[in-house]
Amino acid sequence: MTLASRACAQLATWPDLRQAVPSCGQGQAVVSAKGEIVHFHSDRDVDLRLTDRAIRRFARDLKRSGVIRIVPGSPWVTLRLDAASDVDLLLTLVSVALQAQQFPPDTVDRPLMGCNDQRGAGFVKVDRGALW
């Protein structure tokens, strides 16, 4: 079982979440009643919709993690699942994403234009502590 399939299976057991076809058409999505939260694009690459407000709040920690790529202007972040601890981080961030959906949209929030996979930006990972 890959890290992505393990994470997807765990999220499928959470109340109020279900698996679906992602709007980008690639991979598997996890959605709540308020919309898409996670897109699993491969065995390792996952896009997570946090909202602009949540990204601004946690930007320093997200960048420091070494497994998260922030795309300017996107309410989605991309995680690279290389270890079991990355799955734990993803599950924690899904909780943050669910909480972020409870707030009214931020005036800075941009319209949902698709996940980062549609932006065509790939990972260029130098080392565990580097940013993409």
Side-chain angles (χ1 to χ4, degrees):
M1 178 177 271
T2 67
L3 293 171
S5 61
R6 189 180 92 181
C8 192
Q10 284 182 280
L11 290 172
T13 67
W14 289 21
D16 303 323
L17 292 182
R18 64 179 175 82
Q19 293 182 356
V21 175
S23 59
C24 65
Q26 295 206 357
Q28 181 71 37
V30 174
V31 300
S32 74
K34 295 198 177 198
E36 295 178 320
I37 294 181
V38 181
H39 289 183
F40 291 92
H41 292 296
S42 72
D43 291 342
R44 294 173 51 182
D45 297 326
V46 180
D47 284 344
L48 171 68
R49 184 168 185 263
L50 281 178
T51 73
D52 287 324
R53 178 186 291 142
I55 291 171
R56 284 192 316 273
R57 181 174 178 199
F58 298 108
R60 181 179 294 156
D61 295 320
L62 295 173
K63 289 176 183 176
R64 198 177 313 142
S65 77
V67 298
I68 297 175
R69 180 172 51 91
I70 297 174
V71 176
S74 175
W76 296 80
V77 296
T78 302
L79 286 83
R80 185 72 167 222
L81 303 178
D82 289 327
S85 60
D86 300 336
V87 172
D88 295 338
L89 175 60
L90 172 63
L91 297 177
T92 299
L93 290 175
V94 169
S95 293
V96 171
L98 287 167
Q99 290 175 7
Q101 285 186 342
Q102 303 307 312
F103 294 99
D106 190 335
T107 56
V108 179
D109 279 339
R110 293 154 184 85
L112 187 58
M113 297 175 48
C115 61
N116 290 341
D117 188 62
Q118 293 175 330
R119 291 169 175 22
F123 283 90
V124 179
K125 189 170 182 183
V126 178
D127 62 49
R128 186 109 175 123
L131 298 178
W132 290 269

